[in-house]
Amino acid sequence: MLTGELRSKIDAVWNAFWAGGIANPLEVIEQITYLLFMRGLDEAHTREENKANRLARPMERRIFPEGKDGIGKKGGVAYEDMRWSRLKNGDPATMFEIVSEHVFPFLRAMAEDGTAHAAHMKGARFTIPTPALLAKVVDLLADIPMEDRDTKGDLYEYMLSKIASAGQNGQFRTPRHIIALMVEMMAPGPKDIICDPACGTCGFLVAAGQYLRDNHQKLFHEAESREHFHEEMFHGFDFDNTMLRIGSMNMTLHGVDNPDIRYKDSLAQEHAGDADRYSLVLANPPFAGSLDYETTAKDLIAIVKTKKTELLFMALFLKLLKPGGRAAVIVPDGVLFGSSTAHKEIRRMLVEDHRLDGIVKLPSGVFRPYAGVSTAIVLFTKTNSGGTDDVWFYDCQADGFSLDDKRNALLPAEKIGPTPGTREAGHFISLTLSEDEHAKNNLPDIAARWKKRHGAERERPRTAQSFCVPKAEIAATGYDLSINRYKEVVHEAAEHRPPKEIIAELKALEKEIAEGLDELEGML
């Protein structure tokens, strides 16, 4: 976890950016991302040097070439002088000149390197306005122990949380406890191939990687499974280059060496190379309204003829998954009960052609203050041959935070999220929530009951917070998937006093008032 001292240093740098005229939090993170990338390159180069010295042979891969870059006077600047370890100790003016005039052209030239992160450096722009601000940011980053994966991952997460708190770009960020719930329910395994076709800052992929580190530590002991984790497991698409840069850096800092994070307009481009490829899809795609048929991928329109983005994304998830692949995705409530032909067809496909596993209705305040829209998590498995039996429903009423625009935590940090607990001496000690605490955080109950959906959950009454509904009943309603269609409400019988008793009491009161008035008249 981040120390308070480190948080206050990040806050100070953040404030310095604002004072320096950079008010867009995405731009702040992008500039810090470039500097982190520079530091990472230097550390990789140092490892290669040490390896070459240890084995007494030439370096296999030189990141910083020998000689000068040929830009500007005197043949340019030596590549060695562009290394982080040299720059951080220089005076601010020299550092500023080298970074702006030489390092950034070098980063852009590195885009042919082939790794995901270098590829996203093509459009890298240096926008830090003054040498003093650059020096301040470099000093902060120099103090962070980057060899500690948890610290640098937490550092980046803390910065990303500032996107949300800054307001205008909050839509890029799914609440981390909701992501953790979806990952916990899907339980990724060492052989999964995971995709988020609207990846943003890669929150779902980072959380899936963390789940695997916590629950499948042996996968890092064998070369084959370790290589699969670093090279083949994680795939994310986005059509915003800033998001791609930030997302791939987020993955790198969380210990994934070479994830497949690439530019792709998921709804507009054909999916020839990605169809039937992934075993797990985790996503909270943007639902921006409607597209034109002309600009929509033909292979998606072939699945469902619609212009609505939320339905096109559902078609996309089915397209990307391999048979047997599973998905946990967030959708607006309208997908569950919309009455258009396309709405009904997507729901029919999930129930009849594949296996719809569950629906978790989320509280409407989960995405505040950016959107008050009601949403749900849809959980399904692609089978191409049906298989829906009973569908599990859960009515989530509390996620651990207030459901107003402030979204304040209602419980201590260790009792937030789907797996409450503390870490002591490297061991995780789980905590059980009391009934009062459950009323403030339903997520652990959701995760626990999801695992019992084939057993005890089928016996629960429709008046409970979670219950199962047979496929035949769902089909009979026109495939309506809103929980309120099936939930039963208990009306408590109110006890009423007998009318005669009430009338007698009123007469007594009337008599008392009349007597009081008579007394008052007598006194006058």
Side-chain angles (χ1 to χ4, degrees), residues 160-353:
L160 290 176
S161 73
K162 288 181 170 289
I163 295 181
S165 61
Q168 72 226 53
N169 295 297
Q171 70 272 22
F172 291 126
R173 193 175 159 81
T174 308
R176 279 348 187 211
H177 56 292
I178 300 297
I179 288 177
L181 171 68
M182 293 164 69
V183 170
E184 184 73 23
M185 293 173 83
M186 288 293 96
K191 294 186 176 177
D192 267 320
I193 301 171
I194 306 169
C195 179
D196 179 352
C199 64
T201 62
C202 292
F204 281 103
L205 300 179
V206 164
Q210 190 58 50
Y211 180 91
L212 285 157
R213 287 184 186 278
D214 291 342
N215 295 278
H216 297 278
Q217 293 171 358
K218 287 185 180 175
L219 82 83
F220 298 100
H221 298 169
E222 295 173 14
E224 188 179 340
S225 58
R226 192 168 60 243
E227 184 180 342
H228 175 72
F229 179 88
H230 287 297
E231 305 281 340
E232 296 159 21
M233 182 177 279
F234 301 102
H235 304 262
F237 316 145
D238 209 292
F239 57 84
D240 183 308
N241 282 315
T242 300
M243 284 291 112
L244 290 170
R245 276 193 274 274
I246 291 173
S248 54
M249 176 56 78
N250 199 14
M251 292 294 284
T252 302
L253 293 180
H254 280 89
V256 181
D257 290 349
N258 193 19
D260 169 31
I261 311 298
R262 59 189 145 104
Y263 184 94
K264 186 180 176 92
D265 187 341
S266 292
L267 296 185
Q269 292 170 244
E270 299 281 319
H271 300 90
D274 292 302
D276 301 325
R277 183 178 175 192
Y278 305 103
S279 63
L280 177 58
V281 166
L282 294 161
N284 174 25
F287 301 112
S290 300
L291 300 176
D292 294 328
Y293 285 133
E294 295 76 42
T295 58
T296 305
K298 301 294 178 281
D299 54 358
L300 296 185
I301 291 201
I303 298 172
V304 58
K305 195 168 193 307
T306 181
K307 297 178 180 181
K308 288 202 162 290
T309 54
E310 58 263 42
L311 301 182
L312 289 167
F313 268 112
M314 293 300 286
L316 172 66
F317 302 144
L318 289 169
K319 186 83 179 169
L320 295 174
L321 286 169
K322 59 170 69 172
R326 57 214 193 282
V329 298
I330 294 175
V331 301
D333 265 6
V335 171
L336 306 181
F337 56 76
S339 58
S340 77
T341 306
H343 279 90
K344 289 179 178 175
E345 177 57 15
I346 275 287
R347 296 196 301 266
R348 187 204 65 75
M349 288 167 64
L350 287 176
V351 174
E352 299 289 353
D353 301 344

Side-chain angles (χ1 to χ4, degrees), residues 16 43 70 107 135 175 219 278 287 296 337 380 399 417 419-420 434 447 488 520:
E43 288 170 356
L107 291 182
L219 82 83
Y278 305 103
F287 301 112
T296 305
F337 56 76
F380 63 91
D399 70 337
T419 52
S434 68
E488 292 173 8
L520 195 60

Side-chain angles (χ1 to χ4, degrees), residues 504-519:
E505 191 176 315
L506 286 171
K507 282 182 176 177
L509 283 169
E510 251 178 48
K511 187 180 176 186
E512 201 177 307
I513 291 165
E515 287 172 355
L517 287 170
D518 288 345
E519 269 183 44

Side-chain angles (χ1 to χ4, degrees), residues 341-490:
T341 306
H343 279 90
K344 289 179 178 175
E345 177 57 15
I346 275 287
R347 296 196 301 266
R348 187 204 65 75
M349 288 167 64
L350 287 176
V351 174
E352 299 289 353
D353 301 344
H354 305 284
R355 191 177 78 224
L356 179 60
D357 298 308
I359 305 281
V360 177
K361 178 173 171 32
L362 295 172
S364 60
V366 162
F367 290 99
R368 287 195 169 186
Y370 322 106
V373 63
S374 293
T375 54
I377 303 170
V378 178
L379 307 120
F380 63 91
T381 304
K382 176 176 175 175
T383 63
N384 291 332
S385 57
T388 302
D389 185 2
D390 280 34
V391 178
W392 180 76
F393 286 83
Y394 194 107
D395 186 8
C396 178
Q397 291 164 0
D399 70 337
F401 295 83
S402 63
L403 296 171
D404 55 14
D405 283 356
K406 291 183 179 174
R407 295 288 279 148
N408 295 322
L410 301 176
L411 293 167
E414 65 271 13
K415 294 183 178 179
I416 295 282
T419 52
T422 57
R423 203 170 279 281
E424 291 179 20
H427 297 290
F428 185 76
I429 301 164
S430 61
L431 298 171
T432 304
L433 299 189
S434 68
E435 204 168 311
D436 285 348
E437 289 167 339
H438 161 74
K440 295 174 182 175
N441 178 15
N442 296 169
L443 305 194
D445 191 52
I446 296 172
R449 292 190 179 281
W450 164 253
K451 291 173 184 168
K452 300 173 186 172
R453 67 190 183 280
H454 298 304
E457 286 293 292
R458 297 199 175 188
E459 308 303 319
R460 287 184 36 106
R462 298 281 177 92
T463 52
Q465 199 167 6
S466 64
F467 53 83
C468 292
V469 179
K471 171 190 165 185
E473 189 177 337
I474 290 172
T477 65
Y479 303 101
D480 189 324
L481 298 177
S482 55
I483 193 167
N484 293 336
R485 174 59 89 105
Y486 308 104
K487 194 173 178 71
E488 292 173 8
V489 180
V490 178

